[in-house]
Amino acid sequence: MYKNARAKRGADKIQLLYLAREKALIEKNWPMLESICNTLISSQSSDNVQNILYIALSQYHQNQYPHALALLSELNDKLNSPVHYYWHQVITGNIYAKQALTFQAIPYYFRASEIAQKHEIDANELNQKLWSELTKLSSLTLEQFNTGSGIQQGWINLALYSQLYIGDPVSLHSAMNNWQKRYPRHPASFALPDKMKSLMAIEPYRLTKLAVLLPETGKNARIGEAVKNGILAASEISNQAEIHYINSIESIDKINEQINIIQPDFIIGPLLKSNIDKVKQSEMLVNYPTIFLNSNSQKNNSLEHYYFALSPEHELTQAINHFVAKDFKKPLLLVPKNKSGERLVASFTQQWQQYSKTQPEIGFYADKKDMQKQVKKLLEVDESQKRINKVKLFFREKVKSDTRSRRDIDVIYLIGDAVQTRLLKPYFDVNISTFSAKIPMYASSKSHSLQVDKTDKRDLAGLYFTEIPWMLPQGHTQPALRAQFDKLWPQQGDLQQRLFAMGYDAVKLIPQLKQLSTLSGKSIQGLTGLLSINEQRQIHRQLQWARYYQKSIKVLSLKEVKPTPLFLQPPETID
């Protein structure tokens, strides 16, 4: 059709191009659709707004998001038709949703849903997409959208009811009936009956027998014992399931034999990556719902296998989201020179450069002696001192001088253990120029230690850090459990305490796993953080922010924003 149209002239050509355009749209032949629309525009057809919308749609499907957004922006003042406005909002929302920027996509979807309802536009595909995006938002974020039109509030209340009552079919059914009475002609009433049925059909895991795979002997027995204590504490509160412990360092055959005898409803563990790989390769757990207590080095092919790791990468993402919210432009990272430090720097840099053209400043320190040298080098204080020394050569009298530190660094992030951080921060404090603006300093949970904190905290005053709630004085939601823990194990190290919290949360997660994995925006508060589950069945932790003061630590709520990728940012905001 397109080829024939190009050989014709006048009305015959335009008519064939329109037919070809509709056919390309049906076939989802996006390059062809774009070519046809460009030919129509050059032929001076009368529906250029529609053609530009189709070109933007084609570019969206071909992953040319900046070009699509630029075209859509050009149409802002030309959208006189409700259908055109509808598609303009849908395509824009789709582009942001594709980048997992749900918060930015939702307003476009709401406006499209409202105009579709008002002008009776078929919006079934939009309704499904809108619902999918709403399920990714936390209840707190949903509440922020719970204003505006009746259509918008209807969507939000439906999502909130789903989060609140999922896994409780009777309450969910009652809530849905009340919702339908309140919003009788809402678009979700017609688009979502199957989705509601699937939510009502979700039955939580019921625990009668729990198998736990942990190292009980050898060099890792102590960390296995810490996790076991957490599992026991959670089980004592629930008091529902038999717990059977299996030594994860045993042979595959022996582990398999014990599992076959126990026939558990659920499995927790192994803890070590090597043991996870061992049992995964044997496929002995393929038919058992399992929480593995570490990250996965292989693709997860099971809908009932979950991965729970105390991963420092979660903290890097959280820090970046806060830095973006604060509009920091040039971060400085100082980390130990080892494999872990290099891995975390690579992760931070890779994430940061998705959102900014500015390179983060990176420094590695080899040991305690190297720290001050690296701080002076990164802040360029050593270069300032060289300039001062040159000036002094020209004068016999004493020259009063102060070194200057560089001024482009606007945030510092330290990665190091508690001892390293207590050495590093004072070096920064004394080497940042007194006449320069104070640079905010942040650190990961590695910097915090309950044992080290028993001594003076003054060297860390002003430092922000992320930490699991269990390790913070006001952060945890189980004060009675904390008091009991401190009484039973007053000498437990920081690692053992974190692993205790992990074991406790693993048990507490089991009745919520199906609900959390169905609605990725749903979360529960645990000892290790605010817990949710992503599409890869990885348990994600949002940690608590805190700050050191002269003699205390205070829990804070710091703003975090998921950054817009660099290629979607308007040119004037690109750093």
Side-chain angles (χ1 to χ4, degrees):
M1 281 180 176
Y2 180 50
K3 185 178 179 183
N4 290 339
R6 295 180 69 183
K8 294 184 180 294
R9 295 187 178 188
D12 290 341
K13 177 178 182 177
I14 299 299
Q15 185 179 7
L16 262 179
L17 284 172
Y18 281 152
L19 291 171
R21 187 180 72 177
E22 294 308 307
K23 189 69 174 173
L25 190 62
I26 292 168
E27 293 179 356
K28 299 182 179 179
N29 188 335
W30 307 118
M32 177 62 71
L33 178 62
E34 187 172 345
S35 297
I36 294 166
C37 290
N38 278 318
T39 304
L40 278 166
I41 290 170
S42 64
S43 301
Q44 299 181 341
S45 67
S46 60
D47 64 344
N48 279 353
V49 171
Q50 185 67 63
N51 284 318
I52 293 171
L53 283 169
Y54 279 146
I55 292 172
L57 179 66
S58 301
Q59 291 180 339
Y60 158 70
H61 283 291
Q62 296 173 85
N63 303 327
Q64 297 175 12
Y65 307 119
H67 295 98
L69 281 177
L71 283 176
L72 292 164
S73 180
E74 289 175 15
L75 292 177
N76 282 336
D77 300 327
K78 303 173 185 177
L79 299 167
N80 299 318
S81 160
V83 173
H84 288 164
Y85 183 78
Y86 169 82
W87 279 107
H88 182 275
Q89 298 297 290
V90 168
I91 297 167
T92 308
N94 285 348
I95 291 170
Y96 285 106
K98 193 76 172 180
Q99 307 307 313
L101 296 169
T102 298
F103 190 85
Q104 289 91 323
I106 288 292
Y108 291 99
Y109 286 155
F110 279 147
R111 288 190 286 270
S113 182
E114 288 161 8
I115 203 164
Q117 182 79 348
K118 184 177 179 180
H119 296 278
E120 297 183 350
I121 299 170
D122 180 10
N124 186 58
E125 187 175 340
L126 164 69
N127 292 332
Q128 301 292 343
K129 184 68 177 174
L130 176 50
W131 176 249
S132 175
E133 292 303 308
L134 285 173
T135 62
K136 298 175 183 176
L137 295 177
S138 69
S139 57
L140 189 63
T141 306
L142 286 169
E143 289 286 4
Q144 294 177 36
F145 284 113
N146 203 7
T147 57
S149 69
I151 296 295
Q152 180 168 332
Q153 290 184 46
W155 280 111
I156 293 298
N157 284 315
L158 186 70
L160 285 168
Y161 290 157
S162 301
Q163 284 206 19
L164 186 60
Y165 298 117
I166 185 172
D168 183 354
V170 175
S171 298
L172 184 59
H173 186 269
S174 175
M176 290 303 110
N177 285 338
N178 291 334
W179 180 88
Q180 287 180 321
K181 289 175 185 176
R182 188 177 175 187
Y183 304 99
R185 295 191 67 253
H186 196 278
S189 302
F190 312 103
L192 300 172
D194 291 337
K195 296 285 184 184
M196 288 301 106
K197 285 179 184 175
S198 66
L199 289 178
M200 290 180 188
I202 290 175
E203 292 188 15
Y205 289 112
R206 307 293 181 189
L207 266 186
T208 57
K209 289 183 180 181
L210 174 66
V212 180
L213 278 67
L214 291 171
E216 295 180 345
T217 55
K219 63 180 181 180
N220 294 306
R222 192 177 175 192
I223 62 173
E225 184 71 18
V227 178
K228 181 179 179 180
N229 290 337
I231 291 172
L232 282 170
S235 303
E236 186 176 326
I237 293 170
S238 302
N239 198 25
Q240 292 175 347
E242 295 178 13
I243 305 179
H244 301 266
Y245 293 96
I246 300 172
N247 192 349
S248 59
I249 71 169
E250 299 281 5
S251 68
I252 286 294
D253 290 340
K254 194 163 184 179
I255 293 172
N256 198 25
E257 180 185 342
Q258 292 180 72
I259 288 175
N260 287 333
I261 293 170
I262 297 165
Q263 289 294 300
D265 308 304
F266 204 96
I267 294 173
I268 293 177
L271 173 64
L272 305 176
K273 274 192 176 183
S274 56
N275 289 332
I276 291 175
D277 292 339
K278 180 173 70 174
V279 299
K280 288 282 284 185
Q281 288 167 8
S282 72
E283 296 192 347
M284 70 167 70
L285 304 185
V286 70
N287 295 319
Y288 291 97
T290 306
I291 293 179
F292 296 99
L293 299 176
N294 214 316
S295 55
N296 187 20
S297 56
Q298 306 166 23
K299 186 179 178 181
N300 184 13
N301 295 316
S302 173
L303 295 177
E304 294 196 296
H305 284 178
Y306 305 87
Y307 293 86
F308 186 14
L310 301 182
S311 171
E313 278 78 4
H314 293 174
E315 300 185 59
L316 295 183
T317 302
Q318 201 168 336
I320 287 173
N321 290 351
H322 174 62
F323 294 168
V324 169
K326 293 286 287 183
D327 200 29
F328 293 137
K329 304 294 185 185
K330 180 76 171 178
L332 182 156
L333 271 72
L334 189 55
V335 302
K337 190 170 181 58
N338 53 38
K339 286 184 178 180
S340 175
E342 290 168 0
R343 188 188 82 243
L344 293 176
V345 161
S347 176
F348 184 97
T349 304
Q350 185 268 330
Q351 291 185 65
W352 180 260
Q353 292 191 320
Q354 290 178 31
Y355 318 120
S356 174
K357 281 187 175 180
T358 304
Q359 293 269 354
E361 193 71 33
I362 306 296
F364 294 95
Y365 54 88
D367 50 37
K368 294 178 184 178
K369 294 179 181 178
D370 192 34
M371 287 179 181
Q372 189 170 19
K373 177 183 174 183
Q374 292 302 322
V375 169
K376 287 184 175 181
K377 180 180 177 183
L378 289 165
L379 294 176
E380 296 181 357
V381 173
D382 53 351
E383 294 300 317
S384 176
Q385 187 61 55
K386 287 178 184 177
R387 291 191 293 271
I388 290 170
N389 293 340
K390 284 183 180 179
V391 171
K392 286 181 176 179
L393 290 174
F394 295 102
F395 298 94
R396 292 182 180 178
E397 294 141 6
K398 188 176 181 181
V399 176
K400 185 178 180 181
S401 63
D402 284 305
T403 54
R404 287 177 176 265
S405 58
R406 60 191 294 184
R407 295 195 177 190
D408 58 331
I409 300 295
D410 53 7
V411 62
I412 296 168
Y413 192 75
L414 304 178
I415 298 177
D417 62 30
V419 174
Q420 292 166 334
T421 305
R422 277 156 179 77
L423 291 170
L424 281 170
K425 185 177 181 298
Y427 288 148
F428 277 101
D429 290 339
V430 299
N431 282 291
I432 294 172
S433 305
T434 54
F435 39 78
S436 297
K438 199 168 184 179
I439 304 174
M441 297 180 65
Y442 295 79
S444 70
S445 61
K446 282 189 70 176
S447 68
H448 178 238
S449 166
L450 292 176
Q451 278 68 44
V452 180
D453 270 356
K454 290 175 183 176
T455 60
D456 198 348
K457 301 181 181 70
R458 283 178 296 179
D459 283 345
L460 295 179
L463 180 71
Y464 297 91
F465 65 101
T466 42
E467 181 58 285
I468 66 172
W470 179 246
M471 301 290 283
L472 292 170
Q474 309 135 328
H476 48 76
T477 55
Q478 299 272 10
L481 179 65
R482 181 79 235 189
Q484 187 180 13
F485 179 94
D486 290 340
K487 184 177 179 180
L488 290 171
W489 299 292
Q491 301 302 321
Q492 281 283 343
D494 295 304
L495 176 60
Q496 282 71 32
Q497 296 202 45
R498 296 178 198 280
L499 291 173
F500 172 92
M502 184 190 202
Y504 185 93
D505 280 354
V507 174
K508 287 300 182 182
L509 274 167
I510 293 172
Q512 299 281 343
L513 286 171
K514 288 185 180 180
Q515 299 92 305
L516 290 168
S517 55
T518 302
L519 300 176
S520 56
K522 183 176 173 62
S523 59
I524 63 169
Q525 183 62 59
L527 302 185
T528 58
L530 193 63
L531 307 173
S532 58
I533 297 179
N534 64 20
E535 293 176 355
Q536 291 76 44
R537 298 294 193 275
Q538 295 166 338
I539 296 163
H540 182 269
R541 303 175 304 128
Q542 183 176 5
L543 276 68
Q544 179 70 60
W545 283 104
R547 190 185 189 192
Y548 280 98
Y549 290 83
Q550 288 293 333
K551 296 181 179 180
S552 65
I553 293 172
K554 292 185 180 178
V555 172
L556 304 172
S557 294
L558 300 187
K559 187 178 180 182
E560 296 174 27
V561 174
K562 184 174 175 58
T564 301
L566 193 62
F567 66 88
L568 288 184
Q569 295 175 21
E572 64 271 18
T573 66
I574 295 177
D575 298 329

